[in-house]
Amino acid sequence: MTAIDFSQKTVEMINVVKKFGDFVANDGINLTVHKGEVHALLGENGAGKTTLVNCLYGLYHPTAGTIRINGRELNVTDPNVAIQNGIGMVHQHFMLVEPFTVTQNIILGRETTKLMGILDLSAAEKKVAEISERYGLAINPRDKIEDISVGSQQRVEILKALYRGAEILILDEPTAVLTPPEIQELVMIIRNLTQEGKSIIIITHKLHEIKQVADYCTIIRRGKYIDTVEVDTVTEQELASMMVGREVSFAVEKKPQKRGPKILTIDNLVVEDNRGIQALKGLSLELHKGEILGVAGVDGNGQSELIEALTGLRTVRSGKILLHNKEITGALPKQIIDGYNIRTIPEDRQKRGLVLEFDVAENLVLETYHKKPFSWRGVLNHPEIYQYADDSAKEFDIRPANPYLTAKSLSGGNQQKVIIAREVGNDPEVLIASQPTRGLDVGAIEYVHAALVEQRDRGKAVLLVSFELDEVINVSDRIAVIFEGKIVGTMAAEGVDENEIGLMMAGGTS
Amino acid sequence: MEAIINDIGFIIGTTLMYSTPLMFTSLGGVITERSGVVNIGLEGMMFFGAFVAATVAYYTQNPWLGFLCAGLGGAFLGLLHAIACVSFAAEQIVSGIAINFLGPGLALFLSRLFFDGATQTLTIPNKIPLPLHFLFGEGKLFKSAGFMDLVFNRFATVYLAFLLVLLVWFVLYKTKVGMRVQAVGEHPEAADTLGISVYRIRYGAVIMSGFFAGLGGASMSIAVVSRFSNTLISGHGFIALAAMIFGKWKPQGAMLACLLFGGAKGFEIFLGAKGVPVSSSLLAMLPYILTIIVLVGIVGKTTPPAAIGKIFDKSGK
């Protein structure tokens, strides 16, 4: 089934070193890819995977080391050189001009023109349609980027590379933004491309995807080359240990539950989304002390609106929210945080969780800066704030442990640790965690899950909302399935039938 | 009846005349902002252009040479803005403010030098010509001071401005360069990864905007009137900027917005000429009040280029 031609090495990176000042991002990394091979680059967030491929694509210049393309040594000074040598890259954050059409984006920089630089868009559209058909990448050349799905946008990015004649395709975390069906589609596309003799380098930290799609896998840990393995000969467990450098447990360790009294009641809640359409249509839910209640469901069934209603960010049309049998519906966010001590790990850590331009210490006191000892009569007490941040960084293992760094400069996992340190550090009555492990690697996921379980074991209530069914099942004590703005079923997590939940999530009846 | 028709002709004619300087400058604004660089220095560039045009036209007696040099003068200030904002990643608003002080400062300094310490130039011998006169002779094509004459017998700059709207529209939407300008203004990183030089495109766009603003100033000082004075431009550059935003960053939209603001000016002059008993100072506020009303009315309905005002810096890599 594989299409590898071992006689042709398309990419050889030998002993590549990349330093940023004193920081060594890549420390002697080797990578060999053959024609028709899918090669995965595996490593934790911040391990240096993206740096390595940026060297290959000419966005960075390696400090030392050799790059050979098709056996010929090449000095990749900028992306133009890479493109000319058949290297294409799909960036993690798409490089697409939103108001442009698919065709315009694909031809940008290599436009088809008539006389005097006048664009010939109809010729370009024909050509784009041709390539899209040849590789089975379905798109409409005339659609605008802002109107098409994320999956389609990714296909446009791949087409952009193919249009430039790419033989070697780099995909930087291609599945991070995709829905499960879109991921399956991408897998098919990758297989098609290797059949056509393309080499694919795929960056990821999702192990099951590597098992599914890659032939070989190179593991990088903290900038260092660990090993290159044939994927079929190793287990996911082994890959995870190589990546993190220690044994990783996929199972969440939990003590037996000591379920306490009811603390939070949501009764018949109706909430509208931004377009004024009902997103929650009479949702009811009960949360007890000492339990993790997992809300399982497919994205877009009212999860975001539920969290926003609970945190006071969205108006409740009707229904009640009760804390200790006292109504708190319509409370302001500040009241909910300060007065009721309900804390949230938000869905989008970069938009709502952190002020990216602030440093770690400032982010840690975002909810408490106005209280003693952090301020006195309106004046901030910086020594106290930074002392507190130092302590938190140690306690919550935030790396690097420097409270003066901006939140922006931390890896995703460490950003999440800052948020957890802030929310959990305030000893909440109820902790709401929305998609708390999105985009994190296994090591960081393990950490987040342990933090949630610790809250539960201390007798606190945790509401977990996640699109990852595995996560909900592994972490929760009880599972509530949300579908089209309503809870369609509640059950104990232990011994639950995954298929049954899957069916309920899709709106089927069990 | 004929008097009313002629009155309408008068209003349309003055509208066209006063819209022209705004249109040149506004088109300059469209080009630079579509490439992602904010240029509030249009006012200063227009001011400087107005001075250069009148001075060159006075000394050479050739209005067209004055017109061209005004463009070059504006382009020079555009170059300064580009060096500050594109190469040195300066805050674009601050650089624009600096240009707005620099342009008038330079103009007044040179004016004192060339015109014996005066902050205005002497009257130029030849204004920008009226093409219909030139082609057909005075009063031959249309009856003098009749409706058609009032509307169509206008300075060459008026015709040029409309041609330029067409040209900018064509370049922006139908050519390779235009597509790249838009791409750089929306997503410079994307353009960069495709091997397009963001710096070069932005330099070109900012310099062009200065050139156009200079032409705008010239069409004021050597066509609408026949000399430069230090109160001549007084906010026209800012109105052109507002027109560009009101016109949703599109050449055709900017044109319509300029006609609206020019119309307010035309109406003001008409009322003044009719001796309407309203203070002329109050009448003179009409275009500016209209600017505020119109801009308040459209808040939240426009989408500027995504990367506007953001610094693009490659050096970090």
Side-chain angles (χ1 to χ4, degrees):
Chain A
M1 168 77 210
T2 84
I4 307 178
D5 178 354
F6 285 102
S7 65
Q8 288 192 54
K9 291 179 181 172
T10 46
V11 177
E12 288 169 273
M13 298 181 83
I14 303 152
N15 244 325
V16 169
V17 177
K18 175 65 189 172
K19 291 182 187 171
F20 295 100
D22 289 338
F23 177 67
V24 187
N26 285 163
D27 190 2
I29 301 201
N30 298 302
L31 176 70
T32 306
V33 185
H34 302 91
K35 192 174 158 79
E37 171 183 336
V38 180
H39 198 115
L41 270 180
L42 176 66
E44 289 183 281
N45 284 317
K49 304 169 301 229
T50 302
T51 306
L52 183 73
V53 292
N54 278 345
C55 287
L56 181 60
Y57 192 62
L59 288 169
Y60 295 155
H61 310 306
T63 316
T66 312
I67 296 175
R68 282 196 208 128
I69 302 300
N70 297 319
R72 208 161 54 86
E73 194 167 326
L74 191 69
N75 184 12
V76 195
T77 46
D78 68 86
N80 273 329
V81 177
I83 293 167
Q84 278 156 23
N85 283 277
I87 304 171
M89 179 156 170
V90 175
H91 298 265
Q92 187 180 359
H93 304 286
F94 294 156
M95 296 289 182
L96 295 172
V97 182
E98 295 256 317
F100 276 15
T101 64
V102 169
T103 302
Q104 282 178 307
N105 267 288
I106 291 173
I107 65 170
L108 185 65
R110 280 211 173 182
E111 299 86 350
T112 42
T113 52
K114 296 183 249 189
L115 232 59
M116 306 207 331
I118 297 169
L119 289 171
D120 189 353
L121 279 182
S122 55
E125 273 163 14
K126 234 182 248 163
K127 205 168 165 194
V128 166
E130 229 173 78
I131 310 176
S132 92
E133 207 161 301
R134 181 170 159 206
Y135 294 102
L137 292 147
I139 46 104
N140 178 358
R142 290 190 181 183
D143 282 347
K144 281 193 173 173
I145 297 297
E146 56 200 7
D147 298 334
I148 63 178
S149 70
V150 176
S152 305
Q153 292 183 1
Q154 188 171 58
R155 290 200 286 275
V156 175
E157 282 281 24
I158 295 172
L159 279 170
K160 233 163 90 179
L162 295 174
Y163 176 81
R164 286 164 175 73
E167 290 297 320
I168 301 153
L169 200 60
I170 305 164
L171 306 173
D172 189 357
E173 306 230 4
T175 59
V177 289
L178 300 185
T179 60
E182 285 174 328
I183 292 176
Q184 286 319 306
E185 221 171 294
L186 178 68
V187 169
M188 287 310 297
I189 291 168
I190 290 176
R191 296 223 168 105
N192 275 343
L193 291 172
T194 53
Q195 292 301 323
E196 295 269 341
K198 313 281 183 199
S199 308
I200 314 266
I201 299 172
I202 178 168
I203 295 184
T204 182
H205 51 239
K206 291 189 187 164
L207 302 164
H208 59 273
E209 283 168 11
I210 293 181
K211 289 294 285 182
Q212 194 182 359
V213 76
D215 302 306
Y216 285 84
C217 176
T218 291
I219 300 108
I220 302 174
R221 189 163 71 225
R222 292 191 197 167
K224 289 206 166 61
Y225 175 81
I226 302 300
D227 202 358
T228 299
V229 294
E230 195 179 343
V231 171
D232 284 345
T233 64
V234 289
T235 64
E236 284 188 31
Q237 189 70 48
E238 285 166 327
L239 284 172
S241 330
M242 278 190 274
M243 165 166 108
V244 184
R246 62 182 161 81
E247 288 296 317
V248 180
S249 93
F250 288 148
V252 180
E253 280 180 42
K254 282 192 293 196
K255 290 181 201 153
Q257 185 192 11
K258 277 177 265 164
R259 193 175 187 218
K262 191 167 75 179
I263 176 163
L264 187 75
T265 312
I266 302 167
D267 183 24
N268 220 355
L269 204 63
V270 176
V271 169
E272 288 170 0
D273 67 11
N274 290 340
R275 297 164 298 170
I277 298 165
Q278 277 193 8
L280 298 185
K281 303 167 184 166
L283 180 140
S284 300
L285 208 56
E286 283 181 359
L287 181 63
H288 288 253
K289 285 185 163 199
E291 81 166 349
I292 300 177
L293 174 62
V295 176
V298 179
D299 189 6
N301 275 294
Q303 291 96 327
S304 306
E305 287 79 7
L306 171 62
I307 303 276
E308 285 170 3
L310 289 177
T311 50
L313 294 171
R314 193 172 279 278
T315 317
V316 174
R317 289 283 161 225
S318 67
K320 285 179 190 162
I321 304 170
L322 305 165
L323 183 75
H324 295 300
N325 290 321
K326 182 178 162 244
E327 183 161 355
I328 62 164
T329 324
L332 298 171
K334 197 172 161 64
Q335 264 175 307
I336 290 171
I337 294 169
D338 269 353
Y340 306 129
N341 205 6
I342 299 174
R343 310 275 171 162
T344 311
I345 301 170
E347 184 177 332
D348 188 331
R349 59 180 156 267
Q350 304 211 333
K351 262 191 203 144
R352 287 200 174 152
L354 297 165
V355 181
L356 288 176
E357 308 294 329
F358 277 15
D359 66 27
V360 169
E362 287 164 330
N363 272 295
L364 282 170
V365 297
L366 274 186
E367 289 167 354
T368 45
Y369 67 93
H370 54 287
K371 292 181 184 162
K372 278 183 183 173
F374 301 131
S375 69
W376 183 77
R377 299 197 177 191
V379 179
L380 292 176
N381 183 348
H382 279 109
E384 276 294 339
I385 291 173
Y386 285 89
Q387 185 55 51
Y388 171 75
D390 262 335
D391 297 343
S392 293
K394 278 190 201 103
E395 188 184 340
F396 290 91
D397 190 32
I398 299 167
R399 278 182 276 176
N402 176 355
Y404 293 95
L405 287 178
T406 56
K408 196 168 61 177
S409 64
L410 300 185
S411 70
N414 283 296
Q415 289 180 343
Q416 196 69 319
K417 284 181 192 170
V418 173
I419 296 172
I420 289 174
R422 181 178 69 218
E423 303 304 329
V424 170
N426 285 311
D427 196 23
E429 283 294 312
V430 176
L431 181 66
I432 300 170
S434 178
Q435 292 273 72
T437 60
R438 188 165 72 167
L440 302 186
D441 57 56
V442 281
I445 291 173
E446 199 185 10
Y447 178 96
V448 172
H449 287 168
L452 297 182
V453 170
E454 195 194 325
Q455 284 300 302
R456 159 218 192 232
D457 289 345
R458 294 175 56 223
K460 308 292 181 182
V462 178
L463 182 70
L464 167 71
V465 175
S466 175
F467 306 147
E468 307 267 350
L469 186 51
D470 288 349
E471 176 168 57
V472 173
I473 293 175
N474 283 332
V475 179
S476 313
D477 298 304
R478 242 172 4 117
I479 299 173
V481 181
I482 189 170
F483 178 72
E484 291 191 340
K486 277 185 181 164
I487 298 298
V488 290
T490 315
M491 65 216 74
E494 210 171 288
V496 79
D497 180 358
E498 206 169 307
N499 292 327
E500 190 190 334
I501 299 188
L503 196 64
M504 291 169 80
M505 280 163 63
T509 43
S510 53
Chain B
M1 188 62 199
E2 199 186 328
I4 295 175
I5 291 177
N6 283 352
D7 282 349
I8 294 170
F10 177 81
I11 294 176
I12 295 176
T14 34
T15 296
L16 291 175
M17 189 164 78
Y18 280 97
S19 303
T20 299
L22 298 179
M23 266 156 66
F24 279 112
T25 310
S26 206
L27 286 174
V30 169
I31 297 170
T32 171
E33 302 229 342
R34 285 308 279 266
S35 84
V37 181
V38 175
N39 183 2
I40 64 158
L42 289 173
E43 170 86 5
M45 295 170 182
M46 207 177 168
F47 197 104
F48 189 59
F51 162 75
V52 172
T55 307
V56 173
Y58 175 77
Y59 280 103
T60 64
Q61 309 196 349
N62 182 341
W64 287 114
L65 198 61
F67 191 65
L68 180 70
C69 289
L72 295 178
F76 165 70
L77 292 181
L79 174 68
L80 295 185
H81 189 55
I83 290 172
C85 301
V86 181
S87 294
F88 291 99
E91 171 56 46
Q92 295 167 5
I93 300 289
V94 175
S95 169
I97 291 173
I99 298 281
N100 281 339
F101 283 106
L102 186 67
L106 209 56
L108 294 178
F109 172 75
L110 293 173
S111 172
R112 286 179 198 275
L113 215 62
F114 283 110
F115 296 95
D116 221 9
T119 56
Q120 58 180 31
T121 66
L122 295 169
T123 306
I124 57 169
N126 304 307
K127 292 219 276 189
I128 289 280
L130 302 156
L132 295 188
H133 276 183
F134 182 76
L135 290 172
F136 303 103
E138 194 163 347
K140 289 277 165 55
L141 188 62
F142 302 124
K143 198 179 88 194
S144 269
F147 177 81
M148 295 302 274
D149 187 54
L150 286 167
V151 173
F152 289 105
N153 192 12
R154 291 288 154 199
F155 300 112
T157 41
V158 176
Y159 295 90
L160 268 180
F162 283 96
L163 281 179
L164 210 56
V165 172
L166 210 64
L167 184 72
V168 171
W169 174 84
F170 186 81
V171 171
L172 199 56
Y173 296 109
K174 298 289 167 192
T175 70
K176 181 167 110 176
V177 176
M179 197 167 108
R180 290 183 174 191
V181 168
Q182 289 184 62
V184 162
E186 290 288 341
H187 200 329
E189 292 80 13
D192 184 45
T193 52
L194 296 173
I196 294 169
S197 168
V198 175
Y199 292 167
R200 244 172 55 199
I201 298 264
R202 287 195 169 169
Y203 257 90
V206 176
I207 291 171
M208 276 312 280
S209 82
F211 188 83
F212 282 19
L215 296 185
S219 55
M220 201 77 198
S221 69
I222 61 175
V224 176
V225 297
S226 50
R227 69 159 61 155
F228 161 83
S229 73
N230 64 355
T231 55
L232 184 65
I233 298 304
S234 61
H236 283 82
F238 289 118
I239 293 186
L241 193 72
M244 183 259 311
I245 293 169
F246 178 42
K248 304 192 173 181
W249 286 266
K250 295 186 173 109
Q252 65 275 31
M255 176 189 78
L256 292 175
C258 289
L259 286 172
L260 182 69
F261 293 137
K265 185 79 183 172
F267 200 61
E268 169 207 331
I269 290 172
F270 172 74
L271 291 181
K274 285 280 161 184
V276 176
V278 179
S279 157
S280 65
S281 307
L282 286 180
L283 280 181
M285 285 160 60
L286 204 61
Y288 304 92
I289 291 171
L290 191 69
T291 309
I292 293 173
I293 292 171
V294 159
L295 284 179
V296 168
I298 58 148
V299 161
K301 288 179 209 154
T302 53
T303 37
I308 200 163
K310 288 187 192 142
I311 289 157
F312 176 75
D313 188 5
K314 251 188 101 139
S315 60
K317 299 163 183 175

